[in-house]
């Protein structure tokens, strides 16, 4: 089962990251040529998931400033993560009108963290003009745009049911976690809440199951000990999720728009 790792107090600077990883494109909006096909690192994985490894993530310094872009594959190799390579991500928590949270179980085809239960949607904004931002307000707009895109791609949720203006940005978490010996995550993860009644049609290449849960039902899933969860979801649950959830219909204002990055 995946575990999170303690973050090193000595984090490489942007200049050091660029020197360590010459493949980083400092023009974050520049298109790249697909490179993951016939890649020995990806041999044996699902064809569609291999294709998605060519997507271009936003590479960051430790303060969430974009310094360039690199492929999803480059950003998720543990050998790169262990040298300090860091990228931007988001985690969506979607609640219905009964205040139940939509969970998903990741598909077996996923290259990182397959089969694990997690929050509604977890993914990465792309290094494109619509999804990249340097200032916090621009970055929030970018990850929210990406969230709408991924909710439709993974869960079949129509964009009209999750309009951008309904999302609430709470905070950012910085964490590192291995998936297996080769792959992992090292992200600054934007936490997004949205309350909406939606139609769900899982993309089986991304999601193998979904479940709507109350706080009590989620706590019971953890206590049961039979299910495995993603490390970022566990971190969020162990820290603030249930407190945020309690204030979903009143008092959430006090938690929104946090500027300090939470180092997990």
């Amino acid at each position: 089962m995946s575990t999170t790792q303690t973050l090193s107090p000595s984090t490489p600077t942007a200049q050091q990251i660029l020197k360590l990883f010459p493949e980083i494109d400092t023009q974050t909006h520049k298109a790249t040529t697909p490179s993951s096909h016939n890649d020995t690192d990806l041999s044996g994985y699902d064809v569609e998931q291999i294709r998605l490894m060519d997507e271009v993530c936003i590479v960051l310094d430790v303060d969430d400033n974009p310094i360039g872009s690199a492929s999803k594959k480059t950003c998720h190799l543990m050998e790169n993560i262990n040298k300090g390579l860091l990228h931007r991500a988001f985690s969506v928590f979607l609640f219905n009108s009964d205040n139940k949270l939509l969970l998903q179980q990741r598909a077996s085809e996923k290259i990182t963290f397959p089969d694990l239960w997690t929050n509604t949607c977890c993914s990465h904004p792309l290094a494109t003009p619509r999804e990249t931002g340097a200032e916090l307000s621009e970055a929030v707009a970018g990850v929210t745009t990406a969230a709408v895109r991924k909710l439709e791609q993974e869960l079949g949720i129509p964009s009209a049911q999750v309009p951008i203006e309904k999302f609430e940005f709470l905070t950012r978490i910085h964490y590192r976690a291995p998936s297996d010996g080769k792959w992992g995550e090292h992200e600054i993860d934007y936490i997004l809440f949205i309350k909406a009644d939606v139609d769900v049609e899982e993309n089986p290449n991304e999601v193998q199951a979904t479940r709507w849960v109350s706080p009590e039902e989620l706590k019971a899933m953890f206590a049961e000990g039979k299910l495995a969860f993603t490390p970022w979801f566990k971190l969020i649950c162990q820290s603030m999720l249930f407190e945020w959830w309690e204030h979903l219909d009143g008092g959430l204002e006090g938690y929104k728009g946090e500027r300090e990055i939470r180092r997990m």
Side-chain angles (χ1 to χ4, degrees):
M1 189 170 174
S2 306
T3 57
T4 50
Q5 299 177 334
T6 303
L7 293 171
S8 170
S10 56
T11 304
T13 64
Q15 290 74 20
Q16 290 169 328
I17 288 291
L18 291 172
K19 186 176 289 187
L20 279 169
F21 301 100
E23 65 268 38
I24 291 175
D25 186 350
T26 55
Q27 299 179 50
T28 57
H29 300 158
K30 183 179 176 181
T32 60
T33 303
S35 59
S36 291
H37 309 290
N38 304 316
D39 187 326
T40 55
D41 282 324
L42 294 165
S43 177
Y45 288 106
D46 175 79
V47 172
E48 174 62 10
Q49 292 297 321
I50 291 174
R51 184 190 69 79
L52 292 172
M53 279 299 200
D54 282 325
E55 291 185 337
V56 183
C57 295
I58 303 164
V59 176
L60 307 169
D61 68 13
V62 72
D63 294 316
D64 194 30
N65 298 305
I67 59 175
S69 61
S71 72
K72 184 177 174 182
K73 178 207 162 185
T74 297
C75 290
H76 288 81
L77 283 167
M78 280 306 300
E79 63 181 290
N80 296 337
I81 289 169
N82 288 334
K83 295 175 185 175
L85 192 61
L86 174 66
H87 63 276
R88 185 174 288 167
F90 63 85
S91 287
V92 174
F93 292 75
L94 188 153
F95 303 86
N96 65 15
S97 55
D98 293 324
N99 285 354
K100 287 198 168 188
L101 171 63
L102 180 61
L103 304 182
Q104 67 154 281
Q105 184 182 19
R106 292 164 67 86
S108 298
E109 289 84 353
K110 299 287 282 187
I111 294 171
T112 59
F113 306 97
D115 302 312
L116 301 189
W117 283 89
T118 193
N119 51 285
T120 312
C121 181
C122 333
S123 192
H124 315 91
L126 303 179
T128 64
R130 294 190 70 227
E131 298 186 10
T132 303
E135 297 299 324
L136 182 58
S137 60
E138 297 170 345
V140 169
V143 297
T144 305
T145 298
V148 173
R149 171 176 58 82
K150 289 298 290 184
L151 284 167
E152 185 162 24
Q153 189 258 330
E154 292 189 5
L155 293 160
I157 298 174
S159 58
Q161 294 182 351
V162 284
I164 285 175
E165 61 270 17
K166 290 188 70 172
F167 285 84
E168 303 283 4
F169 163 66
L170 273 66
T171 189
R172 295 168 286 178
I173 65 168
H174 177 193
Y175 77 95
R176 179 175 60 202
S179 175
D180 54 23
K182 180 182 288 186
W183 307 102
E185 289 285 12
H186 186 205
E187 302 179 327
I188 291 181
D189 188 16
Y190 283 61
I191 309 304
L192 302 173
F193 271 29
I194 182 170
K195 190 169 180 179
D197 290 315
V198 297
D199 298 311
V200 176
E201 186 176 347
E202 297 99 335
N203 174 353
N205 191 256
E206 293 283 340
V207 177
Q208 60 179 288
T210 55
R211 186 183 298 184
W212 291 96
V213 296
S214 66
E216 294 73 23
E217 289 167 334
L218 179 54
K219 289 174 183 177
M221 289 173 69
F222 279 116
E224 195 175 63
K226 295 180 181 178
L227 302 176
F229 297 86
T230 59
W232 61 87
F233 184 54
K234 289 191 293 184
L235 278 173
I236 296 164
C237 288
Q238 291 163 1
S239 55
M240 291 296 293
L241 176 62
F242 293 104
E243 184 175 338
W244 291 331
W245 203 338
E246 185 180 345
H247 292 87
L248 193 59
D249 287 330
L252 198 61
E253 288 291 330
Y255 299 100
K256 287 161 46 177
E258 188 172 85
R259 299 194 67 85
E260 185 176 348
I261 300 169
R262 294 175 179 249
R263 312 289 179 181
M264 298 290 190

